[in-house]
C-alpha cells in the first residue's frame, strides 16, 4: 500500500518567518544607516549654536571716552582696569571724531562726559541755577553695526553716568531701517538665502546626476540668480528691511548664493549622500554662527571671531551693513570675500569635472576589458562547426536564448534604475526636510 507524503507546513512556516526576519533586519539596518545623518546634524548644530550664542560676553570690545583732558584719560584707564579685558577703552579728542569712528566701526560706543547740548542749556538758564546744573553725559552708539553691542555698551556706561548724578543721554548716530529696529533682519535674510541655496544642491546633484557637470554648474548659477531675486524681494518690497541700496544687496546675495551652489555641486561628486551634511556644516553650522548677524565677533570666543574675518556669511552681513548704513565704508573687502568664495566654487566644480572624466574613462576601460575576456572565453569553449543539418533549429534556439538573456539584462537595468531613483529621492528629502 503506497502512502502519500503530505507537505510539511511547519517547515514552510518556519522558512517564511525566517525570510521575513531577514527582510526586517535588512530594512532596519538601512534605516539606522540613514539615521546617522540627522543625528550628526543634531550634534553639529548643538555644538555650533550653543558654542557661539550660549554665553555672549565682550572680548576687547572697543569703546571710547570723548575728551582730551586728564580727567578723560583717567576715566578711560579706570574703566579699562575694571573691565579686565572685556573692553578696550581709548580716548577721542572730540564728539565729531567719535561719530566718525563709530561710522567706520572702529568703536561701538563713545561716552561724552559733558554733552554739549546740556552745557549750552545750563549756560542759557543763567544765574545760580545755570551754574549749579550738571551737564548730562551722552553715549553715542551705532545700532546698525550691532544692536547687541550697543546694548552692552549702554549697560557699561549707565552706572558711570549715575555716579555723576545725571541721566545718560543715548544718541544713535547710525540707526537701522524703521521696519528693522534691531537690525537683525539682515541675519534672517541670510538664513533664507542660505537654505534656498544649499537645499537646491541636493536637487541639482541628485536629480541632475545624469547630466554633465558643466550643465549642472549652469543650473547652479541660474538657481542662485533666482534665489538672490527672492532675497532682494524679501529685503525690499515685502518686509522693508532696507530703505535704500537694494541693488547692491541683490548683487551680494547673488555672489553669496552662487558660491554655495557651486561648492555644493562640486562636492556632490565626491560626497554623494553625505553632501547634505557637508554643506550644512559649511553654510549653516559654521556660517550663521560667525556671520555677526546676532553677536559681533567681539562678543564671541576666538574660534567664531576668527571665522568672521573670512567666512562668506560674514561677508554678506557686513557687506550689506556697510552698503546700506555706513556709506560703503569697508564694502570692497566684504565684496572680495564673497568673490573668493565664488572662485572656490568654480575650482571645486573644475576638480569634480576632472574626477568624473577619469571615472568615465576607467569605467569604459573596465567594460572593454570585460568584453574582451568574455569574448575570449566564449571562443575557447565553442566547439568546431557542425554540419548544416538542423542549423535552422540551432539558430532558433540561440535566438531564444539571446532573447531570454536580453530580457534578464533589461530587468536588471530596470531594478538598478529604480534603486538609483530611490536614492536620489531620499537625498533630496534629507536636504529639504532639515
Amino acid at each position: 500500500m503506497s502512502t502519500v507524503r503530505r507537505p510539511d507546513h511547519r517547515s514552510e512556516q518556519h522558512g517564511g518567518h525566517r525570510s521575513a526576519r531577514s527582510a526586517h533586519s535588512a530594512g532596519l539596518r538601512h534605516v539606522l544607516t540613514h539615521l546617522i545623518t540627522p543625528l550628526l546634524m543634531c550634534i553639529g548644530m548643538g555644538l555650533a549654536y550653543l558654542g557661539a550664542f550660549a554665553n555672549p560676553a565682550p572680548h576687547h570690545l572697543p569703546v571710547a571716552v570723548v575728551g582730551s583732558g586728564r580727567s578723560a584719560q583717567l576715566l578711560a584707564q579706570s574703566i579699562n582696569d575694571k573691565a579686565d579685558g572685556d573692553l578696550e577703552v581709548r580716548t577721542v579728542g572730540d564728539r565729531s571724531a567719535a561719530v566718525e569712528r563709530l561710522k567706520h566701526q572702529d568703536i561701538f560706543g563713545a561716552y561724552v562726559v559733558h554733552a554739549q547740548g546740556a552745557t549750552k542749556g545750563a549756560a542759557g538758564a543763567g544765574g545760580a541755577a545755570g551754574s549749579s546744573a550738571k551737564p548730562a553725559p551722552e553715549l553715542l552708539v551705532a545700532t546698525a553695526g550691532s544692536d547687541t553691542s550697543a546694548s552692552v555698551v549702554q549697560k557699561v556706561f549707565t552706572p558711570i553716568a549715575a555716579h555723576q548724578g545725571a541721566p545718560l543721554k543715548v544718541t544713535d548716530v547710525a540707526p537701522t531701517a524703521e521696519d528693522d529696529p534691531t537690525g537683525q533682519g539682515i541675519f534672517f535674510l541670510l538664513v533664507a538665502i542660505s537654505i534656498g541655496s544649499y537645499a537646491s544642491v541636493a536637487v541639482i546633484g541628485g536629480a541632475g546626476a545624469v547630466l554633465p557637470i558643466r550643465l549642472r554648474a549652469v543650473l547652479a548659477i541660474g538657481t542662485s540668480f533666482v534665489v538672490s531675486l527672492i532675497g532682494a524681494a524679501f529685503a525690499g518690497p515685502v518686509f522693508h528691511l532696507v530703505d535704500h541700496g537694494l541693488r547692491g544687496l541683490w548683487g551680494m546675495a547673488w555672489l553669496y548664493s552662487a558660491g554655495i551652489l557651486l561648492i555644493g555641486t562640486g562636492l556632490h561628486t565626491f560626497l554623494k549622500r553625505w553632501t547634505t551634511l557637508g554643506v550644512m556644516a559649511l553654510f549653516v553650522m559654521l556660517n550663521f554662527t560667525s556671520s555677526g548677524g546676532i553677536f559681533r565677533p567681539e562678543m564671541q570666543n576666538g574660534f567664531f571671531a576668527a571665522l568672521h574675518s573670512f567666512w562668506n556669511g560674514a561677508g554678506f552681513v557686513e557687506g550689506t551693513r556697510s552698503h546700506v548704513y555706513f556709506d560703503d565704508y569697508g564694502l570692497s573687502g566684504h565684496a572680495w570675500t564673497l568673490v573668493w568664495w565664488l572662485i572656490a566654487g568654480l575650482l571645486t566644480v573644475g576638480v569634480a569635472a576632472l574626477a568624473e572624466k577619469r571615472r568615465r574613462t576607467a569605467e569604459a576601460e573596465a567594460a572593454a576589458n570585460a568584453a574582451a575576456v568574455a569574448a575570449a572565453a566564449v571562443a575557447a569553449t565553442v566547439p568546431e562547426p557542425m554540419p548544416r543539418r538542423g542549423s535552422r533549429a540551432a539558430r532558433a534556439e540561440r535566438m531564444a536564448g539571446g532573447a531570454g538573456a536580453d530580457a534578464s539584462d533589461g530587468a536588471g537595468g530596470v531594478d538598478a534604475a529604480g534603486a538609483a531613483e530611490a536614492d536620489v529621492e531620499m537625498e533630496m528629502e534629507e536636504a529639504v526636510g532639515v
Side-chain angles (χ1 to χ4, degrees), residues 252 313-324 328 330-331 334-335 338:
M252 285 183 282
F316 175 76
V317 170
E318 299 295 352
T320 301
R321 285 172 174 169
S322 173
H323 180 59
V324 176
D328 292 339
L331 175 61
H334 303 308
L338 298 175

Side-chain angles (χ1 to χ4, degrees), residues 4-74:
V4 178
R5 187 174 182 180
R6 296 180 180 179
D8 191 347
H9 294 291
R10 293 181 181 177
S11 299
E12 291 180 358
Q13 290 177 356
H14 181 70
H17 290 320
R18 184 168 55 189
S19 177
R21 283 197 301 270
S22 178
H24 291 165
S25 298
L28 182 60
R29 285 194 301 270
H30 184 72
V31 172
L32 292 177
T33 301
H34 283 81
L35 277 175
I36 294 174
T37 298
L39 292 177
L40 289 176
M41 289 179 182
C42 176
I43 295 172
M45 294 289 281
L47 291 174
Y49 273 74
L50 294 177
F53 299 148
N55 186 27
H59 301 282
H60 300 284
L61 182 68
V63 296
V65 172
V66 179
S68 56
R70 182 171 176 79
S71 60
Q73 294 178 354
L74 289 175

Side-chain angles (χ1 to χ4, degrees), residues 76-93:
Q77 185 61 47
S78 174
I79 298 172
N80 257 332
D81 294 340
K82 292 180 181 178
D84 193 22
D86 293 343
L87 302 177
E88 188 177 296
V89 189
R90 63 198 68 174
T91 58
V92 179

Side-chain angles (χ1 to χ4, degrees), residues 214 246 306:
R214 291 182 180 178
L246 192 59

Side-chain angles (χ1 to χ4, degrees), residues 226-396:
V226 177
V227 170
S228 64
L229 287 178
I230 295 172
F234 284 154
V238 179
F239 293 106
H240 308 286
L241 302 177
V242 299
D243 50 17
H244 64 281
L246 192 59
R247 289 185 180 179
L249 183 148
W250 166 77
M252 285 183 282
W254 177 79
L255 286 173
Y256 174 75
S257 178
I260 293 176
L261 273 154
L262 288 173
I263 290 174
T265 300
L267 288 178
H268 193 277
T269 299
F270 307 100
L271 300 182
K272 300 301 181 183
R273 61 178 291 264
W274 298 102
T275 304
T276 299
L277 181 62
V279 295
M280 280 199 68
L282 288 173
F283 304 119
V284 176
M285 299 174 191
L286 299 178
N287 189 26
F288 295 170
T289 50
S290 64
S291 66
I294 302 297
F295 298 112
R296 283 193 54 83
E298 294 85 4
M299 297 291 295
Q300 296 182 302
N301 59 43
F303 176 73
F304 293 101
L307 291 181
H308 181 84
S309 62
F310 65 92
W311 218 256
N312 59 343
F316 175 76
V317 170
E318 299 295 352
T320 301
R321 285 172 174 169
S322 173
H323 180 59
V324 176
Y325 297 120
F326 295 104
D327 300 324
D328 292 339
Y329 183 82
L331 175 61
S332 60
H334 303 308
W336 271 110
T337 297
L338 298 175
V339 169
W340 284 118
W341 278 85
L342 177 63
I343 293 173
L346 293 171
L347 292 175
T348 306
V349 169
V351 173
L354 291 176
E356 290 187 6
K357 183 178 179 180
R358 291 179 179 177
R359 187 182 303 167
R360 288 193 301 270
T361 303
E363 289 174 354
E365 292 178 353
N369 292 335
V373 170
V378 170
T381 56
V382 172
E384 291 294 328
M386 300 294 291
R388 297 183 57 84
R389 237 177 356 182
S391 59
R392 183 176 300 175
R395 284 199 301 270

